Amino acid sequence: MRSHVLLCAAALLLVGPTTASFDGNLNYRSPSGRHPRLGIDIGVVERRSWKRGSIAYAPSQLHFTHGVASGDPWPESIILWTRVAPSAESDASEVTVDGTAPLYSHETDKYVHADAHPICVEWKVFEGHDDDDDDKGHGHGHDAYGGASPRLVTSGTAYTTSDVDYTVKVEAKKLQPLTKYSYQFNICGSDSVKSPLGRTMTAPTKDDDVSKLSFAVFSCSNYGAGYFNVYGNAARKNKHDYVIHLGDYMYEYGKSGERATKPAGLVWSLHDYRTRHGLYRSDPDLQLLARSSAWITTWDDHEFSDNGYRDGFSGLNNTEDSFLKSGTMVSVDTRKVHAVRSYFEWMPIRQTDLDDGLRVWRSFQMGKLLDLVILDTRNYDRSITDLYWNKNYINRISDDPSRSMMGARQENWFYRTLSRSKKRGVIWRVIGNQVMFSRIFENDHWGTNGDAWDVG
């Protein structure tokens, strides 16, 4: 009996650290606590890795394929992101399960072939960073300190697998407010395979007397339509404190101009969305800005599909006719789940409310200088918008008081947030939203833009 108890204790000791490390990768969590099946069953992933005959990857087989990124700065913590994998390609087995199986069940080979080998990653945060050289630390085994040893502030371990497209997202805690840091990932036990060195900065506390903050603001970045020179210019000039992206960070279109896209056509499946995110993060200028600053992001329509609203998009609505005509057998809700899942895997963003998978609206208190309020006027609970074929209808109902761009829950939160901000006496209230405020007259036939604030 005693030996049996000792064996059980030993097993628990083995499982405990592994479970904690899987939990440390935020991408295994469901974007919604009410829908745990959108998360990954860590127990299943662990048991898969115990299969006989499985051989773990050697460090030389692995690569940090898409750089590093940081985001959603708080006074005492920040989100760090990377991807480490045997290939830059998204795992082709990571597609939606067909038939009556749960949408995101990853019960090994019962449904899909999943990678049996968890990849162990160590992450470290160091005091300060070198602002003078953006290109140091780019590649294996280099840092930006010229051989010096910066002071280690905090560190941790996390695992990743094909279940989350080999992405890693961790929260670095116990940091100091309004402080610059550098950070780096490496394969566990290996000093030779390292990520590029990233740099970031935490937010001030709400009571800090901050006199100046600078933001680099972006939107509507279509890879297929041109080049991301503006990302590279902002990174090299290094005149900002944080990056804000107001949406359309990624487009779902196929090739639409200068550069070829992957996949070649529209994105529909989970694998499609992951592949498109990977394409964007392969861009050298985006990688440079991602590793040099903390990002604060929200989504617009093209992270999902063109002119989206609560119940559909311009090219796909929640009707049988639209579903059949699309030829993809992907519903509006399924496509939204694919977009949300891949966005949270590939972006350095916190899940603000684990009980609300579509919530990205949140706020940041930046000292006594400003409150930054990030909205979702597109996907959360927006009434029907201009879908191109319904312009006359949208013009007729544009003054209907029951229409909403945010939905009642977000509107109430927005009002309370602005009221608290005014009460605490900050100088500025900065609103980040994805839809144009200005009235835009398109032409004599259609009149104003039916997708903007005053009509949409």
Side-chain angles (χ1 to χ4, degrees):
M1 183 68 176
R2 180 178 298 175
S3 62
H4 176 70
V5 172
L6 290 174
L7 285 172
C8 289
L12 287 172
L13 287 173
L14 287 171
V15 172
T18 305
T19 302
S21 295
F22 273 109
D23 287 340
N25 186 349
L26 303 180
N27 282 340
Y28 283 98
R29 300 181 184 179
S30 169
S32 172
R34 295 175 185 170
H35 303 283
R37 284 183 174 176
L38 296 186
I40 304 299
D41 189 330
I42 292 176
V44 169
V45 177
E46 287 179 335
R47 290 192 294 274
R48 182 196 306 148
S49 68
W50 298 343
K51 283 185 175 180
R52 289 184 179 181
S54 64
I55 301 174
Y57 291 109
S60 60
Q61 294 176 283
L62 299 171
H63 310 276
F64 288 91
T65 57
H66 293 82
V68 297
S70 66
D72 274 15
W74 285 0
E76 297 179 354
S77 73
I78 201 158
I79 299 297
L80 307 178
W81 179 94
T82 193
R83 183 179 186 270
V84 57
S87 168
E89 302 295 324
S90 292
D91 191 322
S93 70
E94 294 303 306
V95 295
T96 306
V97 176
D98 293 327
T100 58
L103 190 60
Y104 281 99
S105 177
H106 287 271
E107 295 185 27
T108 66
D109 296 325
K110 182 177 179 181
Y111 301 118
V112 296
H113 176 73
D115 195 333
H117 313 305
I119 299 171
C120 180
V121 176
E122 296 173 336
W123 55 271
K124 299 173 183 176
V125 177
F126 304 98
E127 188 177 57
H129 61 58
D130 186 347
D131 285 328
D132 298 326
D133 193 339
D134 285 317
D135 293 323
K136 290 181 180 179
H138 185 54
H140 293 327
H142 296 87
D143 61 42
Y145 295 92
S149 298
R151 187 176 75 86
L152 180 66
V153 175
T154 186
S155 62
T157 302
Y159 281 85
T160 188
T161 60
S162 63
D163 301 276
V164 291
D165 205 13
Y166 300 106
T167 57
V168 178
K169 185 161 67 177
V170 300
E171 182 181 10
K173 300 179 180 180
K174 298 181 180 179
L175 306 178
Q176 296 299 311
L178 200 60
T179 302
K180 294 180 178 181
Y181 293 98
S182 58
Y183 62 95
Q184 194 165 39
F185 297 84
N186 64 274
I187 303 300
C188 291
S190 172
D191 290 328
S192 61
V193 184
K194 295 182 179 181
S195 74
L197 190 78
R199 68 188 192 202
T200 192
M201 187 168 75
T202 51
T205 69
K206 65 179 183 179
D207 296 321
D208 281 345
D209 288 319
V210 182
S211 61
K212 179 181 178 181
L213 287 174
S214 178
F215 299 88
V217 182
F218 304 91
S219 67
C220 303
S221 40
N222 187 344
Y223 182 98
Y227 296 88
F228 293 160
N229 300 315
V230 66
Y231 285 156
N233 288 339
R236 294 180 183 94
K237 289 179 179 178
N238 192 26
K239 300 297 184 182
H240 60 274
D241 297 306
Y242 308 99
V243 170
I244 298 175
H245 202 294
L246 294 175
D248 288 347
Y249 160 87
M250 183 197 86
Y251 277 67
E252 85 287 8
Y253 297 149
K255 187 178 186 302
S256 56
E258 289 288 322
R259 297 198 280 181
T261 59
K262 291 177 63 178
L266 283 170
V267 297
W268 295 89
S269 70
L270 178 59
H271 179 251
D272 288 346
Y273 279 96
R274 285 170 164 173
T275 299
R276 187 60 58 84
H277 273 285
L279 173 69
Y280 274 62
R281 286 212 177 271
S282 71
D283 182 272
D285 286 318
L286 192 156
Q287 285 194 16
L288 182 61
L289 187 60
R291 75 170 185 262
S292 66
S293 305
W295 286 46
I296 298 171
T297 68
T298 186
W299 53 41
D300 196 3
D301 53 340
H302 288 289
E303 287 88 350
F304 295 71
S305 186
D306 184 36
N307 278 24
Y309 68 107
R310 178 179 55 225
D311 299 315
F313 319 103
S314 64
L316 181 68
N317 297 297
N318 258 337
T319 63
E320 182 181 14
D321 181 64
S322 177
F323 175 74
L324 294 175
K325 284 182 178 178
S326 72
T328 63
M329 303 305 289
V330 176
S331 69
V332 168
D333 291 340
T334 298
R335 197 176 186 189
K336 278 193 173 184
V337 168
H338 294 164
V340 170
R341 179 87 227 176
S342 60
Y343 189 88
F344 278 102
E345 287 174 348
W346 281 83
M347 300 297 287
I349 183 175
R350 300 175 189 267
Q351 180 58 40
T352 305
D353 183 352
L354 286 176
D355 282 340
D356 196 336
L358 266 181
R359 177 173 173 178
V360 292
W361 36 279
R362 60 207 191 280
S363 63
F364 299 84
Q365 295 179 322
M366 298 287 188
K368 297 179 180 179
L369 180 64
L370 66 91
D371 283 343
L372 174 62
V373 185
I374 301 294
L375 301 179
D376 180 356
T377 57
R378 174 61 70 182
N379 296 293
Y380 185 73
D381 197 13
R382 178 177 178 155
S383 302
I384 191 169
T385 186
D386 183 350
L387 306 176
Y388 306 124
W389 50 266
N390 66 341
K391 286 180 178 289
N392 286 330
Y393 172 64
I394 293 299
N395 284 333
R396 288 190 176 194
I397 65 171
S398 60
D399 293 329
D400 186 337
S402 67
R403 286 168 53 73
S404 174
M405 293 193 75
M406 292 186 284
R409 185 181 178 211
Q410 186 179 183
E411 286 177 1
N412 290 333
W413 169 85
F414 186 32
Y415 177 80
R416 292 194 304 270
T417 300
L418 294 179
S419 298
R420 285 194 296 265
S421 176
K422 183 178 180 180
K423 185 176 181 179
R424 79 182 193 92
V426 297
I427 300 173
W428 296 97
R429 278 164 288 283
V430 179
I431 312 302
N433 98 103
Q434 43 284 99
V435 178
M436 293 171 287
F437 274 110
S438 302
R439 178 179 288 260
I440 298 177
F441 187 80
E442 291 188 331
N443 54 53
D444 291 335
H445 180 67
W446 294 119
T448 55
N449 184 332
D451 196 46
W453 267 79
D454 59 342
V455 179

